Amino acid sequence: MRKTLIALMFAAALPTVAMAMPGDAGPMGPMDGPRHGGMMHDKGPFSELNLSREQRQQIRQIMGEQRHERRELVEKYLAKLSPADQKAMQDEMEARHQKVDAQIRSLLKPEQQKEFDAIQKKQAERRAEWAEFKAWKAQQPQKAQ
């Protein structure tokens, strides 16, 4: 049970960590425009393939579908955990998230910290709205298809 919980936490956190990597242009290699002060980064597993814009878009779509399927898989196995284990996992993930936010904030200059705090506030509002929507949706009668 403990190994499964750790594996699920790792699987759930991996996409978040990958998306937050600074200076990485993502799975398709460099983006179409300049980044980070005009510098282009040639990182990523597909950067050496000289992909066309259409190929990058198709790969981006495939990777997005994979991320969505992975999330569904993790949620499927999380649902099998006891409510106490689910709560413990959510609490631990939230604590880790707050720790990372605090570490990032400590690296920022005061004006950047203000902007970071504003971004965090907007994200918290969006999460609250999404939770409210999900609660409302769960109360709606299911339509027959």
Side-chain angles (χ1 to χ4, degrees):
M1 176 66 104
R2 187 174 183 93
K3 289 181 182 178
T4 304
L5 184 60
I6 291 170
L8 286 173
M9 288 187 342
F10 179 73
L14 191 59
T16 304
V17 172
M19 296 288 290
M21 291 296 294
D24 188 8
M28 279 60 68
M31 294 295 181
D32 294 322
R35 294 175 39 130
H36 304 291
M39 297 183 333
M40 294 290 286
H41 296 277
D42 292 330
K43 297 179 182 177
F46 303 112
S47 63
E48 297 177 18
L49 297 178
N50 196 23
L51 298 173
S52 69
R53 173 174 276 188
E54 182 179 326
Q55 288 172 315
R56 284 192 309 268
Q57 288 174 345
Q58 291 170 345
I59 291 173
R60 187 175 295 124
Q61 180 180 0
I62 291 168
M63 298 295 279
E65 290 170 2
Q66 178 198 24
R67 186 174 50 250
H68 178 73
E69 291 169 0
R70 185 183 316 127
R71 180 174 291 140
E72 286 178 346
L73 182 65
V74 168
E75 288 177 8
K76 176 178 122 178
Y77 284 100
L78 283 176
K80 293 181 181 184
L81 293 176
S82 70
D85 285 339
Q86 289 180 8
K87 176 79 169 108
M89 182 178 169
Q90 288 175 346
D91 291 345
E92 186 173 344
M93 289 175 67
E94 179 61 27
R96 289 181 183 194
H97 182 75
Q98 289 177 357
K99 178 183 173 185
V100 168
D101 284 351
Q103 289 173 331
I104 291 170
R105 191 175 190 283
S106 71
L107 297 174
L108 302 175
K109 297 175 184 173
E111 62 273 3
Q112 292 171 322
Q113 287 179 352
K114 289 178 186 176
E115 184 66 27
F116 181 78
D117 292 342
I119 291 169
Q120 295 295 87
K121 183 179 178 184
K122 285 181 186 178
Q123 288 178 342
E125 290 171 358
R126 284 189 205 140
R127 280 192 298 272
E129 288 176 7
W130 181 246
E132 183 180 325
F133 171 75
K134 287 186 354 186
W136 172 82
K137 180 118 176 154
Q139 295 175 356
Q140 299 304 309
Q142 297 294 323
K143 292 183 180 179
Q145 292 182 356

